Amino acid sequence: MNQPIPFVAGPAAGHVGLTEVMRKVAHGDKQAFSALYDALAPLVFGIVLKVVRDRAQSEEVAQEVMIDLWRQAARYRPDGGSVTTWAATIAHRRAVDRVRSVQAASDREQAQAAREHTTAFDEVAEQVETRLESEQVRRCMRGLTELQRQAVTLAYYQGLTYREVAEALRTPLPTIKTRMRDGLIRLRDCMGVTT
């Protein structure tokens, strides 16, 4: 059975005390982790809170850091610095990652909102342009002769062929072709379309 770990938190604990606790944590000792948690959680939370500046998120990140300390305990090397410094470094990195993640999410949301806003504006502009063009077509159609207007309407709005237009208007096919050609030229000129 594991014996309780004599550990004194704070400055009296010293480098050696936390190093021994960390060694035991690396071997899966839950009591050692409990002592490590008690010693480092306030420090970790304080570092995270200074970076993240949101208490709820800071609590989450601090918990993630403490879990990292448990999982990565075997990676700790005393010659690389104190346990406190190692934990503080992990805490700071995690906090910065969280801030960056939150900022990236916010940037994505703003970009999406901007795209949606632009799309809505483009749809309105397109509808207005279509209405204006429709009005211009109606105005230009009024400038055609009656036979030209009827032939163009039957061919382009009802999808009839030249022969079907000629039959519908009881007019010879060559006359329909001529009237439609002349009518389309007048429409093109009226609409300001260049070829």
Side-chain angles (χ1 to χ4, degrees), residues 85-102:
T85 302
W86 188 61
T89 301
I90 293 173
H92 186 263
R93 286 181 185 159
R94 274 289 188 143
V96 169
D97 287 347
R98 175 61 65 98
V99 169
R100 287 179 180 157
S101 174
V102 168

Side-chain angles (χ1 to χ4, degrees), residues 162-164 166 171-178:
Y162 284 143
R163 187 172 306 285
E164 292 169 334
T171 306
L173 182 60
T175 305
I176 290 299
K177 287 183 177 181
T178 301

